[in-house]
Amino acid sequence: MLIKKTADIRSSQVTSKSLYLDRRKFLAGAATLAGAVAVGGVACVSAAAPEPTQGGQKLPGVVKGQFNTDEKQTPYKDITNYNNFYEFATDKYEPAALAKSLRTRPWTVKVEGMVQKPKTYDIDSLLKLATLEERVYRHRCVEGWSMVIPWVGYSFSKLISQVQPLGSAKYVEFTTLNDPAQMPGVRYRVLDWPYTEGLRLDEANHPLALLTFGLYGEVLPNQDGAPVRIVLPWKYGFKSCKSIVRIRFMDKEPATAWNKAAPNEYGFYSNVNPNVDHPRWSQAKERRIGEFFKRPTLMFNGYRDQVASMYAGMDLKKYY
Ligand SMILES: Nc1nc2c(c(=O)[nH]1)N[C@H]1C(S)=C(S)[C@@H](COP(=O)(O)O)O[C@H]1N2
Ligand SMILES: [Mo]
């Protein structure tokens, strides 16, 4: 909905459809500047912001968030052309083109399980649940590369408080869309689709955990997990489940796609830890995309002060 219904009806009565559509665009823009405009003597009092739906469209009302790193941000071109999104392809350069077939509207996210208020959210109401913040986070893939990404979203805890988990809820499971008509990669049994991931409830409630709708101030491009994904900057990238259709609160640790595929390589926690190597390679260093020399990987990806207390007393070699 671009402008108020009454204004729609009035202006549509006096103009052709194409003019009308142009005017709706004009009205939305002009109203943002002036607060009110007059069309053919009809005063349009207010205009709601248009719903941004396509990757690359500007997201309205984004404020600067907390936890931002001031490290150099990875160029948009790299963030959107070097992707792990196995539902489209296992190659990192292919999702950018292949994910164009993903339809992100209409889209719903079912929030269910051990909560007092289960609810199916339409993506546009989910987008408006809380103020959108820019969060510039480090992003560390388990394969040994990293980026710095200015995400847009709000703390996942805001959604948790809406649905009110039961006392018995101890974990959260995230599930990605699994549609072979839109996602060519799910025709291959690379993983046990749908892609699922999980967190302990306290991790999910940590303010760093970001329910993410955009990057660089714009709607997420499909290849980055549109229309909504989770981002967990202290964990390896694969924990950050893309294109989410279901969020389930549980009393047991959820099974995760990567843990099922290779349990000795990908644990439930998967916190970034330079001291615990992957069975097939070291995790001590990483290559920041765009840089030549490797840099040391930081404990919890540099978020130790924020998250370490959640793992106090745990053997991080055992709970990898
Ligand atoms: N559904 C789904 N989510 C996913 C993946 C995937 O293949 N499918 N890849 C993960 C991995 S391994 C990484 S590193 C990040 C990559 O996110 P980006 O492409 O936005 O950088 O997404 C994660 N989330
Ligand atoms: Mo990754």
Side-chain angles (χ1 to χ4, degrees), residues 87-106:
E87 285 83 343
F88 293 97
T90 52
D91 176 276
K92 287 184 229 315
Y93 297 94
E94 287 180 1
L98 291 173
K100 288 194 198 314
S101 57
L102 180 67
R103 291 187 312 272
T104 59
R105 295 295 187 288

Side-chain angles (χ1 to χ4, degrees), residues 84 141-142 238:
N84 271 333
C141 177
V142 74
F238 68 87

Side-chain angles (χ1 to χ4, degrees), residues 156-201:
F156 182 63
S157 62
K158 301 263 167 72
L159 176 58
I160 297 182
S161 63
Q162 291 273 318
V163 297
Q164 300 174 19
L166 303 176
S168 49
K170 297 281 181 268
Y171 295 92
V172 186
E173 176 193 61
F174 301 92
T175 304
T176 296
L177 180 71
N178 176 21
D179 180 1
Q182 300 183 64
M183 300 170 136
V186 302
R187 293 173 209 155
Y188 306 94
R189 299 193 131 269
V190 195
L191 290 170
D192 183 10
W193 313 111
Y195 195 104
T196 60
E197 258 307 333
L199 294 172
R200 236 169 39 193
L201 190 57

Side-chain angles (χ1 to χ4, degrees), residues 78-80 82-89 92 95 139-143 145 147 149 151 175-177 183 191 193-197 215 220-221 223-225 229-231 236-244 258:
D78 294 323
I79 300 172
T80 59
Y82 191 78
N83 302 99
N84 271 333
F85 203 165
Y86 279 23
E87 285 83 343
F88 293 97
K92 287 184 229 315
H139 177 71
R140 171 62 157 80
C141 177
V142 74
E143 297 163 6
W145 51 271
M147 298 189 185
I149 305 182
W151 299 110
T175 304
T176 296
L177 180 71
M183 300 170 136
L191 290 170
W193 313 111
Y195 195 104
T196 60
E197 258 307 333
L215 59 85
L220 277 178
Q223 61 269 32
D224 287 285
R229 69 178 295 174
I230 192 84
V231 171
Y236 292 116
F238 68 87
K239 296 293 292 180
S240 297
C241 190
K242 292 177 168 181
S243 305
I244 295 168
W258 278 107

Side-chain angles (χ1 to χ4, degrees), residues 20 32 34 61 63 100 120 139 141 146 164 167 185 205 224 235 315:
Y20 165 56
T32 320
V63 304
K100 288 194 198 314
T120 298
H139 177 71
C141 177
S146 66
Q164 300 174 19
N205 254 316
D224 287 285
K235 293 178 178 284
D315 178 352

